[in-house]
Amino acid sequence: TDEAAESLGKSKLNYYLYLNGLTALTDKAVEALAKFEGRSLHLNGLTTLTDEAAEALAKSKGDGLSLDGLTTLTDEAAEVLAKFKGNALTLNGLTTLTDEAAESLGKSKLKSLSLNGLTALTDKAVEALAKFEGVQLSLSGVTTLTDKAAEALAKFTGEDLFLNEELESKVVQSNKLTAAEAAEFVEKAECELVLNEELEPKVVQSCKLTAAEAAEFVEKAECELVLNEELEPKVVQSCKLTAAEAAEFVEKAECEL
């Protein structure tokens, strides 16, 4: 009842309030429960949520809000729930999510967003969620991703992105550099470059010098040149002098050769 909800909302529990057996609540009851000031409120039995109830829950005082019973969410409700001031929002029951709802959730200031019930998303929805700036994004239920969607998720800046194993590999793969990109990156880098074992040989290969390039590099170098064992003989070979050049060098040298 609304009265029971009001009493529970005022309880002094410090941790969690689980009411997962409830499948329906009035907006007034939701508003009362949203005043719960414990760590997390769980209403995983709810299968529907009005926009008014969503607005009340978005103002709840807890650190976490779990609504895993919802299978759909209106764009308006998503926009409101995205404003939840806590750290974690769990919506693992959702089976569909519109592009507009994804955009709202992607802009939220939450630390953790769980949407594990979704099995498919449009590229636009994935791109919106990939912009989520929290710590953890969970999409482990998604079964397929286009290359474009994988590239978008590869740019996720948080600490943890949860996908199924097959898709996780695809996202990692989409973030690999081509030989040309790696070479350009190394050329412009002004700091030490550390890569994984698979990429490092690729970068070294793309950066190999021709004999002429190596000679020119050595000629212009104003500091000690340290190369790997494969490149070093190539540079030394390219810098060997002809007899005439050696004679001229000795003649002009101001030190013992």
Side-chain angles (χ1 to χ4, degrees):
T1 66
D2 293 348
E3 290 74 18
E6 190 165 349
S7 297
L8 288 170
K10 292 177 180 178
S11 69
K12 300 300 180 183
L13 293 169
N14 292 325
Y15 294 101
Y16 309 99
L17 179 58
Y18 293 95
L19 298 170
N20 294 331
L22 297 172
T23 57
L25 285 168
T26 66
D27 289 348
K28 186 176 180 181
V30 171
E31 188 175 346
L33 291 172
K35 295 176 182 176
F36 174 66
E37 296 184 1
R39 182 171 295 178
S40 186
L41 176 61
H42 296 253
L43 298 172
N44 293 326
L46 293 183
T47 55
T48 59
L49 192 70
T50 67
D51 295 342
E52 291 76 13
E55 190 168 352
L57 288 172
K59 297 176 183 176
S60 60
K61 309 292 184 181
D63 190 55
L65 177 62
S66 184
L67 300 167
D68 285 348
L70 300 178
T71 56
T72 60
L73 196 65
T74 67
D75 294 344
E76 292 76 16
E79 184 177 3
V80 170
L81 286 175
K83 297 174 183 175
F84 174 52
K85 301 298 183 184
N87 288 324
L89 177 62
T90 304
L91 297 166
N92 288 330
L94 294 183
T95 55
T96 60
L97 192 70
T98 67
D99 295 345
E100 291 74 16
E103 189 167 351
S104 294
L105 292 172
K107 292 177 180 177
S108 71
K109 302 302 181 184
L110 296 159
K111 288 185 178 179
S112 174
L113 178 61
S114 295
L115 301 166
N116 292 324
L118 297 170
T119 57
L121 286 165
T122 67
D123 287 353
K124 188 174 180 181
V126 172
E127 288 172 5
L129 291 172
K131 294 175 183 176
F132 176 61
E133 295 181 351
V135 174
Q136 178 179 303
L137 175 62
S138 189
L139 298 169
S140 61
V142 175
T143 56
T144 57
L145 281 177
T146 65
D147 292 343
K148 185 178 180 181
E151 287 174 13
L153 283 175
K155 296 174 183 176
F156 174 63
T157 58
E159 292 180 11
D160 297 311
L161 174 63
F162 293 105
L163 298 168
N164 68 41
E165 289 184 8
E166 183 179 346
L167 290 186
E168 197 164 333
S169 300
K170 186 171 185 177
V171 170
V172 171
Q173 183 70 27
S174 71
N175 206 25
K176 288 184 177 178
L177 301 175
T178 65
E181 290 170 335
E184 182 180 2
F185 182 82
V186 171
E187 184 180 350
K188 294 179 179 177
E190 295 179 359
C191 57
E192 182 181 3
L193 178 65
V194 180
L195 297 169
N196 65 42
E197 291 181 1
E198 184 180 348
L199 277 185
E200 197 160 349
K202 192 172 186 180
V203 172
V204 171
Q205 181 68 29
S206 69
C207 292
K208 282 186 178 178
L209 304 174
T210 65
E213 290 170 335
E216 182 181 3
F217 182 83
V218 172
E219 185 180 348
K220 294 179 180 177
E222 296 179 359
C223 56
E224 183 181 3
L225 177 65
V226 180
L227 296 169
N228 64 41
E229 292 180 2
E230 183 181 348
L231 279 185
E232 198 161 349
K234 190 172 185 180
V235 173
V236 171
Q237 181 67 32
S238 70
C239 291
K240 284 186 178 177
L241 303 176
T242 64
E245 289 171 334
E248 182 182 0
F249 182 82
V250 171
E251 185 179 345
K252 295 179 179 177
E254 295 180 0
C255 58
E256 182 179 0
L257 178 61

